[in-house]
Amino acid sequence: MPPFLTYVSRVSDGLPLVASFAPATSGGRSEVRDEHKTQAKELLKNVGSATSKMSIDTSYQKVFHLLLRDSMCILTMTESSYPKRLAFLYLEEIADLMVEELTKDYGSNQWMTQVGTAARPYQFIKYDVPLQRKQKEFVDPTSRQNTSKLNSDLADIHSIMKKNIQEVLNRGEKLEHMSQISSNLVEGSKKFKWGTKKLTWQARLNQYGPMVAGSTFVLFVLYLKFVW
């Protein structure tokens, strides 16, 4: 059960740049019906506001998968039982393949201009051959190669999740550290405020203490002289 069809289109207006279809079965029956092609083209025309990745169920137990990258939309259709993650790995490899082929033909600085100015549908149909080769690699989702791809992808996701969790934990430690610093600053501010009051009182005592003591002594002498 391979990816039955693959479209690469321009995101801005849905212009199909290249398309590839899985060969018919031994009985001459194709899994890709005309309504599927019509639905695919409609999706490509309205993909401008879509998220970078999405899956959409369609008729006859089929699913469309879309990937937006580098001003291009890559779309495929698989059986509903086909592993979704493997379908997106397929789309990512098709995107890499398109960028590689376009860069080879037009250069790293010009290929996006070529895509943006393409004037007719299927202008890059010559890339159908490498697309078909890539499509054959994903025919059997249980093959050793595809199983290895899925395991590698899961390992990458696990690594990213572990890194994100560690960043959150580190951020928590930093927040706790900042909270401790803030508490220390508040406590230091209180001590500084009390120290300031104490210094102010001592300064006033040093300034007016001798005068008060002298006045008290004079009053005491006068009291002894006139009262006693």
Side-chain angles (χ1 to χ4, degrees):
M1 50 178 180
F4 296 118
L5 61 78
T6 304
Y7 279 97
V8 179
S9 72
R10 187 166 58 199
V11 170
S12 60
D13 58 3
L15 180 75
L17 305 173
V18 60
S20 178
F21 301 92
T25 61
S26 57
R29 184 175 65 88
S30 174
E31 293 287 347
V32 181
R33 301 171 183 266
D34 289 340
E35 65 180 275
H36 290 143
K37 295 179 182 179
T38 301
Q39 290 171 351
K41 291 175 182 178
E42 286 298 317
L43 285 172
L44 295 175
K45 288 179 182 178
N46 297 282
V47 77
S49 59
T51 56
S52 59
K53 292 181 181 180
M54 67 186 313
S55 298
I56 301 172
D57 292 330
T58 185
S59 56
Y60 301 97
Q61 296 183 324
K62 303 293 192 297
V63 182
F64 287 117
H65 305 282
L66 297 91
L67 172 71
L68 271 60
R69 193 162 120 202
D70 297 320
S71 74
M72 295 183 294
C73 174
I74 301 91
L75 177 147
T76 191
M77 185 182 74
T78 66
E79 293 277 8
S80 58
S81 57
Y82 194 87
K84 183 180 291 187
R85 186 55 205 156
L86 188 61
F88 281 112
L89 287 175
Y90 168 70
L91 294 177
E92 288 168 3
E93 292 196 17
I94 292 295
D96 291 338
L97 177 64
M98 285 296 298
V99 172
E100 180 183 344
E101 293 294 329
L102 288 164
T103 301
K104 189 189 305 179
D105 289 343
Y106 303 105
S108 58
N109 296 325
Q110 291 298 319
W111 73 262
M112 291 189 74
T113 302
Q114 292 294 324
V115 170
T117 57
R120 65 180 188 277
Y122 307 106
Q123 186 163 320
F124 303 100
I125 194 62
K126 64 179 180 179
Y127 300 142
D128 171 52
V129 174
L131 258 64
Q132 287 188 11
R133 286 199 296 265
K134 181 63 65 177
Q135 197 168 348
K136 290 177 181 178
E137 295 178 12
F138 287 81
V139 168
D140 182 7
T142 62
S143 68
R144 180 180 296 179
Q145 183 182 18
N146 288 328
T147 301
S148 177
K149 288 179 181 179
L150 284 172
N151 290 336
S152 176
D153 184 63
L154 287 173
D156 290 342
I157 292 173
H158 178 72
S159 177
I160 292 171
M161 289 179 63
K162 186 176 180 180
K163 180 181 178 182
N164 290 341
I165 291 172
Q166 189 60 47
E167 288 177 353
V168 170
L169 292 174
N170 291 339
R171 193 179 301 122
E173 290 178 0
K174 289 179 181 178
L175 288 173
E176 184 178 353
H177 180 61
M178 291 300 295
S179 177
Q180 184 62 44
I181 291 175
S182 177
S183 299
N184 291 341
L185 287 173
V186 171
E187 186 64 27
S189 175
K190 290 180 180 179
K191 291 180 179 179
F192 178 77
K193 188 175 181 180
W194 164 245
T196 302
K197 289 182 177 180
K198 186 176 180 180
L199 288 174
T200 302
W201 170 252
Q202 288 179 346
R204 289 179 178 175
L205 184 62
N206 292 334
Q207 181 178 358
Y208 300 109
M211 296 175 59
V212 172
S215 299
T216 303
F217 178 75
V218 171
L219 290 173
F220 179 71
V221 170
L222 291 174
Y223 177 78
L224 290 176
K225 182 177 180 180
F226 294 104
V227 175
W228 288 90

